[in-house]
Amino acid sequence: MLVNEKIAVEHGLKLDEYKKICDLLKRTPNITELGIFSAMWNEHCSYKSSRLHLKKLPTKGKKVIQGPGENAGVIDIEDGDAIVFKIESHNHPSFIEPYQGAATGVGGIMRDVFTMGARPIANLNSIHFGSPQHKKTKNLLRGVVHGIGGYGNCMGVPTIAGQTSFDSSYNGNILVNAMTLGLVKKNKIFYSKAAGLNKPVIYVGSKTGRDGIHGASMASASFDDKIEEKKPTVQVGDPFTEKLLLEACLELMAGDSIIAIQDMGAAGLTSSSIEMASKGNLGIEINLNKVPCRETKMTPYEIMLSESQERMLIVLENGKEEHAKKIFDKWNLDFAVIGKTTNTKNIELYFDDKRVAKIPVNTLVENSPMYDRKWKKSKLPKKIKFKKETLNKLNLKDVLKKILSNQNICSKEWIWQQYDHTVMGDTIQKPGGDSGVVRVHGTDKAVAASVDSSAVYCWAHPLTGGKQVVAESWRNLISVGAKPIAITNCLNFGSPENEENMGEFVECVQGIGEASKYLDFPVVSGNVSFYNQTKEVGIKPTPSIGGVGLIKNYKKMITMDFKEINNLVLVIGKTEGHIEQSLFARTILDEKNGPPPEVNLFNEKNNGESLLTLIEKDYIKSAHDISLGGLITAISKMCIKGNKGINLKKSKNLLNEMEYLFAEDQGRYIIEINPKDLKEVKKILDKNSVFHEEIGVIIDKDFIVNDKTKVTVDELKTYTTSWLKDYMSS
């Protein structure tokens, strides 16, 4: 097939990009070469619209072993141990084919982790769907949940935490972000940098098929009416094969055979070979006839662009081929020597004794496009004055019922019960808490992880929203007693060619960067997902933040359930009564305008570190951060979890009752302490200038507010548990 401008455009390339390819090669590329360029130069692989801004994120820290640029980030958790982790999107495939899209998203992120020598120990996810009333939402939710559970459960890796939301902006483009944590010894971390000349390049895992061709390119395009035609671009996963691949790779990694290893994810054999060569400043030569294929008459183009799952590319030490082959034979996996490293700095492909591609590696990586796109700066919306008369007319019990049964607050137990969250036997805090927690097997240490996003805040004011989502991750880790160490991010946005969308991205990244830097909470890995839109209608900006922290002694882990009657309940952090962009304003008042709550990074850090001090001194019996739904929602969840009530006394705060109870001011926590410890707790908080207020006493099974509103804990449970279960069964 002769390549021309029309074919280049069909491959997702702009005309000026095609011209640049011809200039770099000093000739017209053939169809295989064009396919390789289209894969490596799309948004998903090249980050051409985001690289400029991602460079501004803080990526270094005392505990950071590996930051962005590898398959995943790596942090030090002491005693020679390290945690490898990353979050990635699989949005478009999951909308087209929800089960396989979600399943292969989980499989792909797990390969990123065990490629670096780590055994996966925990999965998390952040999934976002359209309005519950939309005709596709229910089936998409069911398919995605089954896909996540199906793959993770078969792999024997617990799913310990997650986030689910519903918003009409996702009607035509759902989000499926998958995160994995793995445990590795610091001296056994593997990287993807090829090294040495004439080293054998090895293909292992499953055979290559025609599934997933153009998957990476599809992920870098908007949806239109021809969405059904894109089904062949969705990969097909096999978790049982991945389990075998995991064990075989870890067995080979136990020795000294591997120079470099890279999973075949987006763009398959293309990206894996080119990334290894680029990092090593080498060339790679591949004989495509030696690639194990499960379909007949596959062309070089198809072999290179296939995104068939459960495959790895390895550069071995010379003389280790037979040793490696025995391991993969034992695990019943394909093994083939398909090429070698060279000093040419080219990727050279041969098929049927002919050279079918020759491309300088630097043209695919260093010379890939990088755009400084135009973007529109957002303005902070004006504050809204809510009429006191309107607020005073509201019935608190009715409002609380509506808030707790809201689709974005209600219990997601229907979802996480379908995930195996206890396999491996080290999960010590299951889904439903502030963070999932897994014990580091055989030690007193535990690792906490959470995943958060706040599209509403980011949509209202991206800079503030970016700060908030990092602060929320920070609070969720601290609430379980973990010292926050680092984050990974998955940045989900609309088209970067739209100035407003690009502005949302730039300012969200700026906010993430400011918060990460101030909190010493660096970004060690991540992913950007653009073009999340259908027919020019984009999603709300949705950066997902995966946070990881360390609990040095798991016996000091904190849960949110109220523990003992007569214990005191305090709020840490000041309530200013900010209800703009709150769930209360949107759900009860039908008000969707106004600014998000301000993020005071000094208070976030000071309040959080002070709470960690209290936890270390064994003063805290339970804790929960205050976020969506405000103070009363946080307390309700603590009552439900502990099957205890509370006598919530009237605050000295001069705010209207509704503003006080449902405001979403940041930097706040609810804590439970023993009355005998009150003096010491107050002493520490006062010393650190942390605002705090005693707000109630734990009682039996009633929730009493200001001596006038009474709700039983059983009623609270009904409010929060019924919606999703009823929705999925209807």
Side-chain angles (χ1 to χ4, degrees), residues 103 106 110 123 147-159 239 420 423:
V106 173
M110 278 198 277
N123 288 331
I148 291 170
Y151 209 102
N153 295 353
C154 289
M155 284 291 293
V157 178
T159 299
D420 192 337
V423 65

Side-chain angles (χ1 to χ4, degrees), residues 17-236:
E17 291 174 343
Y18 175 62
K19 184 178 182 302
K20 184 178 179 180
I21 291 167
C22 295
D23 290 344
L24 287 167
L25 293 176
K26 298 182 174 59
R27 58 181 173 81
T28 302
N30 62 39
I31 190 64
T32 301
E33 292 169 330
L34 183 75
I36 290 169
F37 270 104
S38 77
M40 294 302 296
W41 281 20
N42 64 46
E43 286 286 356
H44 195 78
C45 293
S46 74
Y47 294 86
K48 58 189 177 186
S49 298
S50 58
R51 284 204 318 270
L52 190 69
H53 305 283
L54 295 175
K55 289 177 180 179
K56 301 169 186 175
L57 291 172
T59 58
K60 295 184 168 65
K62 290 179 183 177
K63 297 285 188 180
V64 177
I65 296 172
Q66 175 65 54
E70 266 294 338
N71 286 294
V74 189
I75 56 171
D76 187 343
I77 60 163
E78 304 175 6
D79 310 310
D81 295 323
I83 292 292
V84 179
F85 67 104
K86 189 183 183 184
I87 188 170
E88 268 206 344
S89 63
H90 228 222
N91 303 334
H92 285 36
S94 300
F95 186 69
I96 297 167
E97 179 50 64
Y99 183 92
Q100 289 295 350
T104 52
V106 173
I109 196 64
M110 278 198 277
R111 284 197 304 282
D112 280 340
V113 166
F114 75 74
T115 298
M116 298 192 72
R119 180 174 290 279
I121 59 171
N123 288 331
L124 301 89
N125 55 74
S126 179
I127 53 179
H128 304 268
F129 299 90
S131 164
Q133 289 74 43
H134 191 271
K135 61 183 181 181
K136 287 188 176 182
T137 297
K138 194 180 294 183
N139 284 335
L140 287 168
L141 174 60
R142 184 175 283 111
V144 165
V145 169
H146 288 171
I148 291 170
Y151 209 102
N153 295 353
C154 289
M155 284 291 293
V157 178
T159 299
I160 63 167
Q163 178 198 25
T164 305
S165 80
F166 300 85
D167 186 280
S168 59
S169 78
Y170 308 118
N171 283 350
N173 199 123
I174 65 172
L175 302 182
V176 176
N177 298 173
M179 178 177 170
T180 294
L181 281 68
L183 179 66
V184 67
K185 289 294 180 184
K186 284 196 294 185
N187 62 352
K188 293 298 287 183
I189 300 168
F190 287 81
Y191 299 95
S192 57
K193 180 181 176 181
L197 299 179
N198 293 313
K199 302 293 183 182
V201 175
I202 313 297
Y203 173 116
V204 299
S206 288
K207 287 181 169 58
T208 295
R210 290 187 170 95
D211 57 310
I213 294 173
H214 292 305
S217 300
M218 179 268 294
S220 303
S222 303
F223 286 146
D224 53 32
D225 290 328
K226 297 180 180 178
I227 188 172
E228 291 297 316
E229 295 176 10
K230 299 182 188 287
K231 278 195 175 184
T233 65
V234 179
Q235 309 89 337
V236 178

Side-chain angles (χ1 to χ4, degrees), residues 156-330:
V157 178
T159 299
I160 63 167
Q163 178 198 25
T164 305
S165 80
F166 300 85
D167 186 280
S168 59
S169 78
Y170 308 118
N171 283 350
N173 199 123
I174 65 172
L175 302 182
V176 176
N177 298 173
M179 178 177 170
T180 294
L181 281 68
L183 179 66
V184 67
K185 289 294 180 184
K186 284 196 294 185
N187 62 352
K188 293 298 287 183
I189 300 168
F190 287 81
Y191 299 95
S192 57
K193 180 181 176 181
L197 299 179
N198 293 313
K199 302 293 183 182
V201 175
I202 313 297
Y203 173 116
V204 299
S206 288
K207 287 181 169 58
T208 295
R210 290 187 170 95
D211 57 310
I213 294 173
H214 292 305
S217 300
M218 179 268 294
S220 303
S222 303
F223 286 146
D224 53 32
D225 290 328
K226 297 180 180 178
I227 188 172
E228 291 297 316
E229 295 176 10
K230 299 182 188 287
K231 278 195 175 184
T233 65
V234 179
Q235 309 89 337
V236 178
D238 179 358
F240 299 103
T241 300
E242 178 138 328
K243 176 65 174 170
L244 300 177
L245 183 62
L246 162 68
E247 299 301 340
C249 287
L250 292 181
E251 186 174 337
L252 184 61
M253 287 167 168
D256 57 358
S257 303
I258 297 175
I259 296 172
I261 181 167
Q262 175 74 44
D263 85 293
M264 296 190 212
L269 187 53
T270 289
S271 63
S272 55
S273 58
I274 290 162
E275 285 173 19
M276 292 173 93
S278 173
K279 288 171 183 173
N281 198 26
L282 296 169
I284 285 182
E285 183 182 295
I286 296 174
N287 183 343
L288 295 177
N289 291 104
K290 293 184 177 181
V291 173
C293 294
R294 65 169 179 261
E295 299 184 48
T296 58
K297 297 182 178 178
M298 288 189 69
T299 64
Y301 177 97
E302 291 171 326
I303 294 169
M304 289 302 292
L305 295 183
S306 166
E307 292 185 13
S308 294
Q309 300 290 285
E310 297 87 37
R311 302 178 299 158
M312 292 278 185
L313 199 63
I314 303 173
V315 178
L316 280 183
E317 293 284 4
N318 291 110
K320 298 291 185 176
E321 296 92 329
E322 278 306 310
H323 168 68
K325 186 175 185 305
K326 282 180 183 175
I327 290 172
F328 285 93
D329 284 350
K330 180 182 100 175

Side-chain angles (χ1 to χ4, degrees), residues 471-485:
E472 171 77 0
S473 178
W474 166 270
R475 291 197 301 273
N476 277 332
L477 295 171
I478 283 175
S479 295
V480 300
K483 171 69 177 172
I485 298 177

Side-chain angles (χ1 to χ4, degrees), residues 414-613:
W414 179 90
I415 293 173
W416 57 257
Q417 278 192 335
Q418 298 180 60
Y419 307 148
D420 192 337
H421 47 268
T422 60
V423 65
M424 298 178 82
D426 285 316
T427 305
I428 56 175
Q429 188 156 173
K430 64 185 184 182
D434 285 295
S435 298
V437 184
V438 287
R439 188 174 52 191
V440 178
H441 198 76
T443 76
D444 290 334
K445 295 183 296 192
V447 176
S450 72
V451 62
D452 300 282
S453 66
S454 182
V456 170
Y457 291 172
C458 292
W459 170 78
H461 191 242
L463 179 62
T464 304
K467 292 180 191 177
Q468 188 278 334
V469 70
V470 174
E472 171 77 0
S473 178
W474 166 270
R475 291 197 301 273
N476 277 332
L477 295 171
I478 283 175
S479 295
V480 300
K483 171 69 177 172
I485 298 177
I487 63 175
T488 180
N489 60 45
C490 190
L491 308 175
N492 308 278
F493 291 82
S495 169
E497 298 166 54
N498 177 295
E499 289 183 26
E500 285 189 4
N501 291 347
M502 193 65 204
E504 291 170 343
F505 174 81
V506 172
E507 293 190 297
C508 271
V509 169
Q510 185 184 337
I512 290 168
E514 287 181 20
S516 300
K517 187 175 181 180
Y518 193 93
L519 297 172
D520 192 20
F521 203 24
V523 181
V524 297
S525 60
N527 167 237
V528 176
S529 176
F530 278 132
Y531 297 99
N532 289 291
Q533 60 187 51
T534 298
K535 294 181 181 177
E536 308 303 317
V537 179
I539 63 165
K540 284 190 174 86
T542 312
S544 295
I545 300 293
V548 178
L550 177 66
I551 303 173
K552 289 189 178 182
N553 182 350
Y554 71 84
K555 292 173 185 172
K556 288 184 179 287
M557 180 189 75
I558 302 297
T559 56
M560 69 164 68
D561 51 301
F562 280 148
K563 302 298 188 300
E564 288 185 36
I565 290 170
N566 296 324
N567 274 353
L568 301 178
V569 178
L570 281 67
V571 59
I572 289 178
K574 195 166 185 180
T575 302
E576 303 282 0
H578 190 106
I579 58 173
E580 294 101 323
Q581 298 303 331
S582 69
L583 188 66
F584 171 80
R586 285 178 279 121
T587 304
I588 307 301
L589 305 177
D590 197 28
E591 178 56 76
K592 297 179 173 58
N593 297 312
E598 180 188 349
V599 179
N600 184 315
L601 292 171
F602 174 82
N603 286 345
E604 289 285 1
K605 191 172 188 179
N606 190 38
N607 295 357
E609 289 179 342
S610 299
L611 179 51
L612 281 181
T613 299

Side-chain angles (χ1 to χ4, degrees), residues 571-575 606-607 653 685 688-693:
V571 59
I572 289 178
K574 195 166 185 180
T575 302
N606 190 38
N607 295 357
N653 197 303
L685 294 174
N688 294 344
S689 301
V690 173
F691 181 91
H692 58 282
E693 186 180 12

